[in-house]
Amino acid sequence: MKVSLFSTCLVDVFEKKVGIATVELLEKLGCEVDFPGSQVCCGQPAYNSGYVQDAKKAAKNMIKAFENSEVVVSPSGSCITMFKHYPHLFEDDAAWQLRAQRLADKSYEITQFIVEVLGITNVGAKLTGKATMHPSCHMTRLLGNVTAPKKLLAEVEGLEVVELPQYYNCCGFGGTFAVKMHDVSGEMVDEKVDCILESGADYLVGGDASCLMNISGRLKRRGADVKVVHIVEILNNQVEAVTL
């Protein structure tokens, strides 16, 4: 299957290793991966801040960037959720709405793609230790991708997966929310860190770089010895085992 990578801004700028892991993992699973060079931001920050017209400009660029792609895959449930929202952006423009719907229909978050499209749950990953997972809000509540990450982690040889207490709570990032409401955001991520420490996990795993950056920062500030990793890094055998 030919797959186009949608890398996302955060992965492209801050977490390049996640993008590399995504490409390598897809190739190991038999996919041919390309990277449309005209892709930029999906427009979510503008849209969430109320700048709908600016978001539409970004959306049009992305629709054109991936127009000829067979399938679009991204290591971000949040950004793929924005793709799924594109048809609503163009409710007053039938031609663009049709093009937006075509992109939405062929776009997947990486774990969703592996499990639901490729039909794979065991990718041959190995890691020793105990992990707990933060299910990001957009990934689970809006995209509806709840079980795929769990199925893949459950098949990682040597990894014990424990449930994160109060896993359903937001980590407090929320894009511009963390800037505009930083005091509230800080309290929320502190609660999340408390739950991670309560779980006794060696690794905090997630599927969105934004959430992981937020949580990782608070863990470091509190001196917590928990390794924060994107799920594709585990699935691609890129994570070194912690010293137990």
Side-chain angles (χ1 to χ4, degrees):
M1 183 176 291
K2 293 183 178 180
V3 174
S4 293
L5 173 68
F6 167 29
S7 65
T8 81
C9 300
L10 285 179
V11 169
D12 187 44
V13 177
F14 297 109
E15 297 290 341
K16 289 181 173 60
K17 63 184 184 300
V18 173
I20 293 170
T22 300
V23 172
E24 290 181 349
L25 181 59
L26 288 170
E27 289 178 342
K28 288 176 184 177
L29 299 176
C31 297
E32 179 184 336
V33 184
D34 65 29
F35 182 84
S38 58
Q39 62 179 286
V40 287
C41 179
C42 66
Q44 184 178 155
Y47 180 75
N48 289 346
S49 298
Y51 298 101
V52 177
Q53 294 307 313
D54 289 326
K56 281 186 174 182
K57 291 178 184 178
K60 285 182 178 180
N61 179 79
M62 296 299 266
I63 290 168
K64 289 186 286 186
F66 292 103
E67 196 119 48
N68 296 321
S69 299
E70 181 179 333
V71 176
V72 179
V73 175
S74 175
S76 170
S78 179
C79 294
I80 288 297
T81 294
M82 187 62 193
F83 273 17
K84 300 293 186 181
H85 193 72
Y86 278 1
H88 299 290
L89 275 180
F90 297 103
E91 289 179 340
D92 59 346
D93 188 329
W96 274 104
Q97 186 179 47
L98 178 61
R99 295 170 74 178
Q101 190 63 58
R102 288 172 179 161
L103 175 58
D105 290 343
K106 65 183 180 183
S107 298
Y108 300 89
E109 183 273 334
I110 178 72
T111 63
Q112 182 185 43
F113 175 73
I114 293 171
V115 174
E116 297 180 10
V117 179
L118 298 183
I120 298 170
T121 57
N122 189 333
V123 298
K126 300 178 182 179
L127 182 62
T128 301
K130 181 186 293 185
T132 193
M133 182 160 188
H134 165 66
S136 56
C137 298
H138 279 188
M139 173 104 79
T140 56
R141 297 172 185 172
L142 299 182
L143 188 60
N145 184 26
V146 177
T147 61
K150 294 180 180 179
K151 289 180 179 179
L152 289 164
L153 282 180
E155 297 288 349
V156 176
E157 184 179 332
L159 189 65
E160 178 188 355
V161 182
V162 296
E163 185 172 282
L164 179 65
Q166 300 181 51
Y167 64 87
Y168 42 79
N169 284 348
C170 176
C171 74
F173 181 69
T176 54
F177 173 81
V179 178
K180 294 179 179 179
M181 306 288 288
H182 55 86
D183 289 338
V184 177
S185 174
E187 292 296 325
M188 293 171 72
V189 73
D190 262 329
E191 287 185 353
K192 180 64 66 172
V193 167
D194 288 340
C195 292
I196 294 167
L197 297 178
E198 182 184 337
S199 75
D202 305 304
Y203 309 95
L204 184 277
V205 187
D208 273 295
S210 53
C211 298
L212 295 179
M213 289 175 63
N214 186 44
I215 298 169
S216 176
R218 185 62 79 178
L219 282 165
K220 289 177 182 176
R221 288 184 181 92
R222 289 178 52 172
D225 189 21
V226 179
K227 194 166 187 175
V228 178
V229 295
H230 194 288
I231 189 169
V232 296
E233 296 178 88
I234 292 180
L235 299 178
N236 195 45
N237 288 314
Q238 264 176 235
V239 179
E240 292 185 9
V242 296
T243 303
L244 302 177

